[in-house]
Amino acid sequence: MTGRPSVWYLAPLLVMSAIYYSSSQSGSAQTVGSMPLGPGWFHNLLHVPAYALLAASWGLALPQRRRWRGASLIFALTLGYGIFDEWHQSFVPGRECSAADLLRDAVGAGLGLWLSNRMMLSRRRLPTCARRTLGK
């Protein structure tokens, strides 16, 4: 089989759906057990891994991700979604649009690009039979 498994193209859409759902919750409705996820530090930390996962999933789905243009496209798609998400939150009760959150989204996008690049570099070191099994 040549090309990418088609499920990789769905991964960024699933991550974006999860981010959209999470940001659609009102500020008072976001809790884990008794710990609120509202405007506190824990909620703010979730931006980095969420957008790192989004960038990494775009990195696995889109071809030529190791080139400068591919990385720029992935970063732009991820940060563009971050801008859309912050705008969307401005309409949700108890939530607000924040430049600091957008900065955390950018850090997550950069981390996700780095991680997906590292995964692809390590995959190239695998024997040929393992690369075929992983869909390369």
Side-chain angles (χ1 to χ4, degrees), residues 70-88:
S72 297
L73 174 64
I74 291 166
F75 190 80
L77 285 171
T78 304
L79 199 55
Y81 190 75
I83 291 169
F84 166 76
D85 187 52
E86 289 302 315
W87 174 76
H88 164 250

Side-chain angles (χ1 to χ4, degrees), residues 20-31 36-39 43 88-89 91-96:
Y20 186 85
Y21 174 77
S22 175
S23 66
S24 295
Q25 305 302 308
S26 68
S28 61
Q30 294 187 324
T31 61
L37 292 181
H43 169 74
H88 164 250
Q89 285 182 37
F91 298 104
V92 177
R95 304 294 296 271
E96 60 186 31

Side-chain angles (χ1 to χ4, degrees), residues 6-66:
S6 59
V7 70
W8 287 5
Y9 294 104
L10 295 176
L13 299 176
L14 292 173
V15 174
M16 288 189 299
S17 297
I19 291 171
Y20 186 85
Y21 174 77
S22 175
S23 66
S24 295
Q25 305 302 308
S26 68
S28 61
Q30 294 187 324
T31 61
V32 170
S34 62
M35 187 165 135
L37 292 181
W41 63 272
F42 185 71
H43 169 74
N44 290 333
L45 287 179
L46 291 178
H47 281 263
V48 174
Y51 281 85
L53 182 61
L54 179 57
S57 65
W58 276 122
L60 292 172
L62 296 175
Q64 302 175 356
R65 70 196 148 277
R66 291 180 294 272

